[in-house]
Amino acid sequence: MKRALITGITGQDGAYLSRLLLDKGYEVHGIVRRVALEDPEHRLWRIRSILKKVILHSGSLESYASLFDIVEKIKPDECYHLAAQSFVSYSFEDEFSTINTNINGTHFILSALKNKAPKCKFYFAASSEQFGKVRKTPQTEETPFHPRSPYGISKVAGYELTRNYREAYNIFACSGILFNHESPMRGYEFVTRKITNGAARIKAGLAKELQLGNLDAKRDWGFAGDYTEAMFLMLQQPEPDDYVIATGETHTVREFVELAFGHAGLDWKKYVKQDEALFRPAEVNILCGDYSKAQKKLHWKPKVNFKDLVRMMVEEDLKLVSPHS
Ligand code: NAP
Ligand code: F7E
């Protein structure tokens, strides 16, 4: 039985990936923060239904010793490094913790693998935020990086560390440069979930309006369930490599709002207010990915389109706020 280790198993992608790996017959280990084990009801909600099937270990991205001990004990065949401070807005408020946690966490886990499980295949959760102020559209694996946030900077460093461990130490290390991906398990701070949850709450009479920032930003939004399949496929290839995972379509935040409120039977213009405080000090104006390398080499393509993604999220949020849920 193959053994996988997932950092960030409590997050959106960890929840989808752990289910995928269990379905494929893997023994799935996850790293969670100590507090999560003490408060599983609130902190492990995304993996509640599979808690008996996964093996959890307490550890933190800040502690090399904790990661080293877990890697030494498990000696995984595959390691999916998903844990990170992943909220771009927050990275402007606390640059230091985002940069320290994200860069050191990736470095620690790579070093622990090099020392204790050098045959383990490694996946790094790289990001389209690395492209930042884009030099060309659509973005490919060859597009130069120009990150616009401490988060983006931390991901460029993680991507370079991953490449260097591949080249210098012969580790099977891959980066998936994933564009925004969403689902009903998305965190409430990200714009898509904020919008679908906001529309559902307004529809149910629980809120009167929704405050948003920049409605003109354009993103390439896909479905998290499709994107975690791509992570798995990268580690099944004969050679390690880096891949862009995207849909190839871009939409404004305004388009997302219009569709989501429309699905809830609401006219968004009556409820959405713009708040200057929610604009970012440096914005990524447009992202649109070219996934042709992944299509050619991994035989991967997205299955859920933009409209179906928005509908799926709105429907789930309407159910969650309904009095019978
Ligand atoms: P997420 O929902 O925010 O999950 C982040 C995970 O990291 C959570 O399990 C969190 O644990 C864990 N974590 C954060 N800080 C930690 C620390 N100091 N020690 C241990 N664990 C820590 O993120 P996601 O959307 O699933 O994304 C997964 C990865 O892909 C992230 O690295 C993200 O940056 C990257 N990414 C995401 C997207 C996207 O659109 N979703 C696109 C490109 C790249 P707690 O539950 O305890 O907080
Ligand atoms: O913002 C605009 C905001 O926070 C999207 C992370 O998973 O994807 C995600 O990063 C856009 C931005 O995602 C609000 O200015 C307007 O232009 O949902 P977001 P993100 O910053 O693109 C990348 C690929 C990752 O790697 C990250 O980990 O929406 N926007 N009004 C808003 N954004 C938020 N959060 N809240 C608003 O009220």
Side-chain angles (χ1 to χ4, degrees):
M1 186 185 260
K2 276 199 187 166
R3 205 172 289 153
L5 174 62
I6 304 176
T7 74
I9 193 169
T10 58
Q12 170 188 255
D13 291 3
Y16 280 96
L17 181 67
S18 47
R19 284 171 176 84
L20 176 84
L21 294 173
L22 285 171
D23 285 348
K24 292 194 181 290
Y26 279 59
E27 181 179 296
V28 176
H29 295 254
I31 299 182
V32 299
R33 296 193 245 209
R34 186 184 52 78
V35 283
L37 295 177
E38 283 158 17
D39 184 12
E41 187 56 29
H42 291 109
R43 295 179 185 265
L44 300 178
W45 60 276
R46 290 188 179 97
I47 51 169
R48 195 176 288 140
S49 66
I50 52 165
L51 270 182
K52 290 207 171 85
K53 297 183 186 157
V54 295
I55 303 154
L56 300 181
H57 308 264
S58 80
S60 150
L61 290 185
E62 286 83 22
S63 157
Y64 179 66
S66 74
L67 300 175
F68 184 90
D69 287 350
I70 295 166
V71 167
E72 182 174 43
K73 194 162 127 195
I74 300 170
K75 295 221 167 26
D77 298 298
E78 293 173 13
C79 174
Y80 296 86
H81 175 43
L82 310 181
Q85 193 304 94
S86 75
F87 188 33
V88 175
S89 271
Y90 181 71
S91 80
F92 288 107
E93 285 167 41
D94 190 351
E95 309 152 55
F96 290 92
S97 77
T98 301
I99 284 183
N100 287 341
T101 302
N102 290 1
I103 300 180
N104 289 342
T106 305
H107 196 182
F108 291 163
I109 196 102
L110 277 165
S111 171
L113 289 171
K114 171 169 79 95
N115 286 304
K116 289 293 159 192
K119 295 257 173 334
C120 175
K121 296 180 176 181
F122 176 77
Y123 172 85
F124 173 63
S127 166
S128 52
E129 278 293 301
Q130 293 168 212
F131 297 119
K133 191 174 178 186
V134 298
R135 308 272 177 89
K136 73 173 186 93
T137 295
Q139 295 83 46
T140 70
E141 293 79 5
E142 309 307 322
T143 305
F145 298 138
H146 184 143
R148 296 269 281 172
S149 64
Y151 170 82
I153 293 166
S154 78
K155 287 290 178 179
V156 171
Y159 169 90
E160 295 295 358
L161 276 164
T162 302
R163 191 163 55 82
N164 193 242
Y165 268 70
R166 179 167 75 218
E167 291 173 0
Y169 306 117
N170 214 19
I171 302 282
F172 191 111
C174 303
S175 285
I177 308 174
L178 270 51
F179 284 60
N180 299 53
H181 47 281
E182 320 293 317
S183 73
M185 287 207 266
R186 188 56 145 151
Y188 288 88
E189 66 274 42
F190 300 97
V191 78
T192 54
R193 190 71 196 273
K194 189 173 168 184
I195 294 165
T196 59
N197 173 56
R201 285 173 56 78
I202 291 169
K203 181 76 178 175
L206 299 171
K208 289 197 163 41
E209 61 177 41
L210 177 66
Q211 302 277 349
L212 293 173
N214 180 10
L215 300 182
D216 296 316
K218 289 182 161 176
R219 288 291 181 278
D220 178 335
W221 281 294
F223 172 54
D226 289 345
Y227 287 37
T228 45
E229 271 182 34
M231 297 176 185
F232 170 76
L233 290 172
M234 284 178 217
L235 297 201
Q236 312 315 311
Q237 300 311 303
E239 298 297 333
D241 207 344
D242 304 324
Y243 300 89
V244 160
I245 301 297
T247 71
E249 264 186 44
T250 188
H251 298 275
T252 59
V253 173
R254 186 178 289 98
E255 283 172 77
F256 195 107
V257 169
E258 199 172 348
L259 256 184
F261 274 70
H263 282 314
L266 300 168
D267 175 3
W268 71 275
K269 289 192 180 135
K270 290 189 187 153
Y271 303 102
V272 173
K273 310 275 179 270
Q274 269 190 297
D275 179 354
E276 289 291 322
L278 293 170
F279 281 63
R280 295 178 180 177
E283 178 63 285
V284 171
N285 294 322
I286 177 168
L287 289 173
C288 183
D290 174 351
Y291 65 91
S292 37
K293 178 174 171 185
Q295 186 166 27
K296 190 164 166 226
K297 299 245 169 97
L298 307 178
H299 307 293
W300 178 90
K301 62 177 183 182
K303 295 184 194 120
V304 177
N305 68 28
F306 179 65
K307 277 190 179 160
D308 291 342
L309 175 67
V310 178
R311 186 182 304 116
M312 178 201 302
M313 292 179 71
V314 173
E315 280 174 7
E316 285 301 315
D317 276 331
L318 285 170
K319 274 191 226 154
L320 279 179
V321 297
S322 101
H324 308 295
S325 72

